[in-house]
Amino acid sequence: MASTKDIRCHRVYEEPSPEDGTRVLVDRLWPRGLRKDDAHLDAWLRDVAPSTELRQWYGHDPERFQEFRRRYLAELRDCDHREALHELGELARHGRVTLLTATRDVDRSQAAVLADRLSR
């Protein structure tokens, strides 16, 4: 498994860095106002993102983050997410991965939950 130093989380709107490694968008929806040419992505794994229902329930409310995390980790075990999570794990095993999200609070996002999950 990859160590935590091999997995980073950033906003997709930030400038790419040579240290990013493989850049993977982990949002279900394409980020507002971002042209695909400007994203500098290696992959978009929308199937690893939380379900629409979970995302809408969470609404990025910091008080709901722990419950969001619990529910999202449960979702990652279902067949709809398993293949994309496996693909992401394979990328992480072969070098640094930067998980990208449009969320303003990256520390309380699915990207942070994924980084933690992949680093174990």
Side-chain angles (χ1 to χ4, degrees):
M1 274 294 169
S3 66
T4 53
K5 68 181 179 183
D6 293 323
I7 302 169
R8 298 173 172 206
C9 299
H10 290 293
R11 289 194 77 213
V12 70
Y13 301 107
E14 294 175 13
E15 283 294 315
S17 165
E19 291 85 37
D20 284 347
T22 303
R23 293 171 50 88
V24 182
L25 179 62
V26 294
D27 288 353
R28 185 165 302 278
L29 304 175
W30 187 258
R32 287 184 189 168
L34 184 66
R35 292 179 11 170
K36 291 194 181 192
D37 295 344
D38 296 336
H40 305 285
L41 298 179
D42 296 298
W44 178 17
L45 295 178
R46 68 179 77 172
D47 289 338
V48 80
S51 66
T52 299
E53 296 79 17
L54 180 57
R55 182 178 51 81
Q56 289 174 345
W57 171 84
Y58 175 42
H60 302 287
D61 179 345
E63 291 181 17
R64 291 184 172 183
F65 180 69
Q66 289 306 319
E67 180 62 15
F68 166 77
R69 185 183 191 303
R70 186 191 70 73
R71 291 181 187 189
Y72 181 41
L73 287 170
E75 279 191 357
L76 288 172
R77 290 189 291 271
D78 70 29
C79 61
D80 292 337
H81 292 82
R82 199 174 306 141
E83 188 175 321
L85 181 62
H86 177 75
E87 185 176 344
L88 193 54
E90 285 299 309
L91 291 171
R93 274 189 269 289
H94 292 95
R96 178 171 288 146
V97 172
T98 298
L99 305 177
L100 301 169
T101 181
T103 306
R104 285 191 180 111
D105 188 355
V106 175
D107 293 336
R108 290 189 190 98
S109 71
Q110 75 272 9
V113 175
L114 283 168
D116 183 57
R117 168 70 174 74
L118 290 168
S119 67
R120 285 189 257 133

